[in-house]
Amino acid sequence: PVQHARSEITIEFKRNEADDPCKLYDKKNRSDDKELSAAAQRGFGQLAGYVALLDQCQYRTHIFQVLMCGDYARFLRWDHSACLFSERFDYTTREGSVRLMEFFHRYSQLNRADQGYDQRFTLAEFKTQAEEDEIDEKLEPWNVHDEKGRPMVTFTVVDEDNKKHELFARSHVKRRDSAIGRSARTFPVWNATMGQVNFYKELWSPTAQEKSEADIMKDLNAHNIPNVPRVMSGGRTSNETKNHEY
């Protein structure tokens, strides 16, 4: 089975050049077709599905892919704003094979942040197994997807009073199910700073949006609207998407 939690890049092979889902939008090698074939549509769904799976199993800011259709290949870069793809090239030629190998070489030289790994999250380390088990016990009531095999991570959130909260998380309540868009992710966390379980949610939103979801919920809290979770802290992270700039 594919271990998506360990995958870095996905490579998709299609036998026929006509199965390329990017050909309709390639300005240099534009197809004469008016719409994508059924096979190309399924192929694009596959690509997006692989990205969503990696984003569910890992903490990523962006993800690279290689698409190979017939004798041609493309590079793709996904983040939550859009999917970018390169011009196609013939990887069966010397020039094309060099380009393909150069991509993998350059990728291997990137630091983890440039490869697409969210540096806010790190693997949790404990002095004893009992410490980890104790946190798992506190989070167990919210382990709705039975993800005990998933590595526990730790990250820090700074509240409005500039107080740092050390959080630990393992299991998701809602996993990301889309390669682009808001792609909300929610999970219970153990707040080691306050000694209690909190609920953490993050999602992508356009920078043009005047108010964040956290600010809207704070307004609802201020007016004592019922059935709305009480917000402890909320705001924007330092992560920003890049694809929408092109």
Side-chain angles (χ1 to χ4, degrees), residues 82-112:
C83 170
L84 288 179
F85 59 86
S86 70
E87 294 179 349
R88 72 176 191 174
F89 60 93
D90 187 343
Y91 66 89
T92 65
T93 65
R94 177 176 176 80
E95 180 183 357
S97 61
V98 169
R99 183 182 299 184
L100 186 61
M101 292 302 102
E102 185 178 15
F103 168 80
F104 287 111
H105 173 71
R106 290 191 177 193
Y107 178 87
S108 69
Q109 302 303 307
L110 295 174
N111 60 42
R112 296 296 273 176

Side-chain angles (χ1 to χ4, degrees), residues 101-220:
M101 292 302 102
E102 185 178 15
F103 168 80
F104 287 111
H105 173 71
R106 290 191 177 193
Y107 178 87
S108 69
Q109 302 303 307
L110 295 174
N111 60 42
R112 296 296 273 176
D114 289 337
Q115 286 178 344
Y117 290 89
D118 193 332
Q119 298 302 288
R120 295 175 300 148
F121 298 89
T122 58
L123 290 177
E125 297 181 354
F126 301 94
K127 295 180 179 179
T128 65
Q129 184 61 44
E131 293 178 341
E132 183 175 1
D133 293 342
E134 183 180 359
I135 294 178
D136 272 329
E137 183 178 349
K138 297 179 185 302
L139 297 176
E140 176 60 29
W142 293 273
N143 185 23
V144 297
H145 293 296
D146 191 21
E147 296 181 317
K148 289 185 178 180
R150 184 188 183 97
M152 185 176 291
V153 296
T154 182
F155 57 106
T156 301
V157 170
V158 181
D159 64 21
E160 285 81 354
D161 296 324
N162 206 33
K163 181 179 180 179
K164 293 183 177 180
H165 296 260
E166 185 181 12
L167 308 180
F168 293 84
R170 190 191 301 277
S171 174
H172 292 78
V173 173
K174 181 184 183 302
R175 292 172 286 191
R176 286 178 168 166
D177 54 8
S178 174
I180 57 177
R182 292 171 64 83
S183 301
R185 171 170 32 211
T186 59
F187 42 88
V189 295
W190 173 248
N191 188 329
T193 304
M194 301 188 68
Q196 64 185 34
V197 175
N198 294 132
F199 190 73
Y200 181 84
K201 178 179 182 179
E202 67 175 19
L203 52 84
W204 178 84
S205 62
T207 54
Q209 182 174 317
E210 294 182 1
K211 274 192 173 184
S212 68
E213 183 173 313
D215 290 334
I216 294 173
M217 292 183 68
K218 288 176 186 177
D219 288 344
L220 296 174

